[in-house]
Amino acid sequence: AELTGATVGGDLRFYPAGAAQGLPLASAINFGAGQTRANNAVLRLGLAQDLTVRCDQMSGTVHLIIDINGYFQ
């Protein structure tokens, strides 16, 4: 995942959509205002092959770019 254009700092958390365990305790990527940041992660998908992204910011906006590089069966 890559993010850019953040107007304030925050973090992103990724988890399988509909997951019973809910929000993960650790963020996948942290960012500050004006930063462009990237990170790699191996993520599980939900039953419908979908993903939930949670952006924790007090206010403001950020642009998220997700690249899929492969999958496991």
Side-chain angles (χ1 to χ4, degrees):
E2 181 177 352
L3 60 89
T4 190
T7 56
V8 296
D11 65 68
L12 296 176
R13 297 165 193 250
F14 301 88
Y15 55 100
Q21 76 270 11
L23 187 66
L25 297 176
S27 64
I29 189 167
N30 300 314
F31 56 91
Q35 289 186 321
T36 295
R37 304 280 317 264
N39 195 10
N40 292 320
V42 175
L43 304 170
R44 287 189 176 270
L45 299 177
L47 293 176
Q49 307 303 310
D50 47 2
L51 180 71
T52 298
V53 179
R54 163 99 181 227
C55 179
D56 290 320
Q57 286 180 294
M58 294 299 291
S59 63
T61 60
V62 64
H63 299 277
L64 173 63
I65 303 154
I66 297 178
D67 296 318
I68 308 297
N69 293 317
Y71 64 93
F72 298 100
Q73 284 188 308

